[in-house]
């Protein structure tokens, strides 16, 4: 995340020959205020494949934890009944096509003699009705063939996307019917983080719509946020889906807990460089340089870091200078304390 920080004021060695180190000025700068919450990683694509026809499971080609490619054959169901339906439908289609051709030939013959006044109008209308009826039966037979072939196609189950099999619901030899679950799986190509955000923070999250997932010191910016428009009645929290970049090796897997930082506001904070802060046991301090280049060791209260800068919540005021090199500042302070003695 990039923050809008004021330029760091460094005092070069040439401008202060007495000090063997550089200094920086404590300044108030505008930064983004964040709240870090726990979230759980989810797979965007996760589904359970169910049977779409009846039959007995003949073969299962994958098992739990197997990786499958999109359109890979997963399960085969017995197809004898479906094959019989296709054969019957194709036979009905052939009969309907023959009757249609016969009705069309008859209509053409009646139409020709009708124009010469040999047959009556009722005879012509009867032939026309027979043709329309034959055409309707032909279309119905074509539809039954298409349906039967589709049912036959359902006996082979293919992967809808590339992913990992997470659960197997059937064994070879079991009977299945439409709706019976066969396999469950997830895709790792696109992940998201589900976070429950407290009610007091939701307004800022809605306005900023910016979040980052924290991973071992790194930050992964969210592509977008999906904010549920209602709160959970039990916890008064709002569910937010943090959508992550697609197809990146982030080391994340569904079910993991991660920290997610949400930007909720822009605030002013007093900042100094991180390198200027000294940590000694439980003491946090900086070396302050006054206008006369006198150095003093002063304890401070610090907050969060922002792009090489750190918040100062107490012990320092705006405009004061701090040593950028605490080690040389300590040596300088000890030497001048001994001289003053």
């Amino acid at each position: 995340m990039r923050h809008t920080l004021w330029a760091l004021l460094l005092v070069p060695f040439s401008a202060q020959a007495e000090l063997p180190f550089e200094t920086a000025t404590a300044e108030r700068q505008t930064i983004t205020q964040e709240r870090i919450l726990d979230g759980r990683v989810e797979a965007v694509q996760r589904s359970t494949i169910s049977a779409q026809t009846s039959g007995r499971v003949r073969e299962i080609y994958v098992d739990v934890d197997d990786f499958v490619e999109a359109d890979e054959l997963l399960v085969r169901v017995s197809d004898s009944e479906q094959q019989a339906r296709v054969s019957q439908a194709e036979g009905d289609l052939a009969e309907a096509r023959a009757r249609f051709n016969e009705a069309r030939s008859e209509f053409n013959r009646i139409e020709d003699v009708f124009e010469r006044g040999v047959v009556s109008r009722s005879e012509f209308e009867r032939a026309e009705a027979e043709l329309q009826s034959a055409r309707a039966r032909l279309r119905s037979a074509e539809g039954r063939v298409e349906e039967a072939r589709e049912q036959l196609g359902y006996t082979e189950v293919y992967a809808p996307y590339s992913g990992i099999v997470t659960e197997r619901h059937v064994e070879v030899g079991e009977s299945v019917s439409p709706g019976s679950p066969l396999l469950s799986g997830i895709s790792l190509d696109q992940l998201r983080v589900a976070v429950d955000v407290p009610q007091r923070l939701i307004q800022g999250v809605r306005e900023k719509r910016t979040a980052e997932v924290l991973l071992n010191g790194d930050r992964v910016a969210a592509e977008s946020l999906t904010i549920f428009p209602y709160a959970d009645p039990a916890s008064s929290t709002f569910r937010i889906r943090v959508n992550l970049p697609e197809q990146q090796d982030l080391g994340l897997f569904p079910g993991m807990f991660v920290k997610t930082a949400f930007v909720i506001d822009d605030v002013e904070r007093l900042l100094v460089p991180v390198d200027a802060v000294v940590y000694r046991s439980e003491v946090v301090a900086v070396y302050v340089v006054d206008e006369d280049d006198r150095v003093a060791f002063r304890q401070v209260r610090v907050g969060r870091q922002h792009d090489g800068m750190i918040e100062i919540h107490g012990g320092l005021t705006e405009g004061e200078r701090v040593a950028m090199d605490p080690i040389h500042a300590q040596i300088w302070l000890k030497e001048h304390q001994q001289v003053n003695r």
Side-chain angles (χ1 to χ4, degrees):
M1 181 183 300
R2 298 188 178 276
H3 307 277
T4 304
L5 301 179
W6 298 354
L8 177 65
L9 177 61
L10 297 178
V11 181
F13 180 79
S14 59
Q16 49 175 50
E18 297 83 1
L19 296 177
F21 50 82
E22 295 178 334
T23 63
T25 302
E27 297 179 343
R28 287 197 172 275
Q29 306 177 13
T30 301
I31 61 174
T32 55
Q33 187 177 16
E34 296 179 336
R35 287 293 183 272
I36 299 178
L37 303 172
D38 289 327
R40 185 184 292 274
V41 180
E42 296 179 343
V44 175
Q45 290 182 316
R46 50 180 179 175
S47 58
T48 296
I49 301 175
S50 300
Q52 294 181 275
T53 188
S54 299
R56 191 177 299 277
V57 178
R58 290 175 52 188
E59 294 173 286
I60 302 176
Y61 299 98
V62 295
D63 206 346
V64 175
D65 290 337
D66 287 348
F67 178 82
V68 298
E69 297 286 352
D71 299 324
E72 181 178 337
L73 180 60
L74 305 178
V75 179
R76 191 188 300 274
V77 179
S78 60
D79 59 358
S80 56
E81 182 180 349
Q82 289 77 9
Q83 289 280 13
R85 289 180 181 175
V86 170
S87 298
Q88 181 180 355
E90 289 177 343
D92 294 341
L93 175 61
E95 181 181 358
R97 184 175 289 114
R99 292 187 178 277
F100 171 74
N101 292 334
E102 181 182 356
R104 183 171 56 183
S105 298
E106 180 66 12
F107 173 77
N108 291 337
R109 186 184 68 80
I110 295 295
E111 184 182 30
D112 182 59
V113 298
F114 173 74
E115 292 177 351
R116 290 182 289 167
V118 176
V119 298
S120 64
R121 174 170 290 277
S122 61
E123 188 72 12
F124 171 78
E125 291 177 349
R126 182 192 62 78
E128 185 179 27
E130 286 290 341
L131 177 61
Q132 292 176 352
S133 177
R135 180 181 288 111
R137 288 193 295 269
L138 176 60
R139 290 176 178 172
S140 178
E142 290 173 342
R144 289 195 297 272
V145 169
E146 183 177 349
E147 180 182 3
R149 288 174 178 171
E150 185 175 2
Q151 288 296 319
L152 177 61
Y154 290 154
T155 60
E156 294 182 342
V157 181
Y158 295 88
Y161 50 80
S162 299
I164 298 175
V165 179
T166 58
E167 191 170 358
R168 196 172 87 175
H169 303 283
V170 293
E171 298 293 338
V172 174
E174 291 187 18
S175 296
V176 295
S177 57
S180 300
L182 302 176
L183 298 168
S184 295
I186 59 174
S187 171
L188 302 181
D189 291 339
Q190 190 168 2
L191 302 175
R192 66 191 178 202
V193 179
V195 185
D196 292 325
V197 176
Q199 180 178 332
R200 68 181 185 278
L201 303 179
I202 194 62
Q203 185 61 34
V205 174
R206 286 184 184 276
E207 292 178 356
K208 297 300 182 181
R209 305 188 75 87
T210 302
E212 292 181 327
V213 177
L214 311 183
L215 300 174
N216 300 323
D218 295 330
R219 286 174 171 252
V220 179
E223 283 195 338
S224 61
L225 301 183
T226 302
I227 304 175
F228 285 30
Y230 55 87
D232 183 271
S235 61
S236 297
T237 58
F238 287 80
R239 173 61 59 93
I240 294 182
R241 288 175 176 168
V242 181
N243 302 309
L244 299 176
E246 188 173 357
Q247 295 180 343
Q248 286 194 10
D249 187 11
L250 303 175
L252 293 177
F253 296 92
M256 292 176 59
F257 274 103
V258 293
K259 297 289 185 180
T260 305
F262 291 93
V263 176
I264 61 173
D265 200 4
D266 293 325
V267 295
E268 276 195 356
R269 291 288 185 266
L270 185 65
L271 301 180
V272 298
V274 173
D275 294 339
V277 180
V278 180
Y279 297 89
R280 294 179 181 172
S281 185
E282 297 181 357
V283 176
V284 182
V286 295
Y287 286 93
V288 182
V289 182
D290 64 13
E291 295 180 354
D292 297 326
D293 289 345
R294 291 175 297 189
V295 180
F297 185 72
R298 187 185 302 174
Q299 189 172 351
V300 293
R301 288 187 296 109
V302 297
R304 295 177 180 173
Q305 297 184 16
H306 307 274
D307 289 347
M309 308 292 284
I310 189 169
E311 298 177 8
I312 302 295
H313 295 319
L316 201 63
T317 59
E318 184 178 5
E320 287 190 299
R321 290 189 298 157
V322 295
M324 287 289 294
D325 188 344
I327 296 178
H328 284 86
Q330 179 184 10
I331 296 173
W332 176 269
L333 178 59
K334 287 183 178 179
E335 290 178 349
H336 284 71
Q337 284 177 343
Q338 292 175 357
V339 171
N340 293 333
R341 289 176 184 175

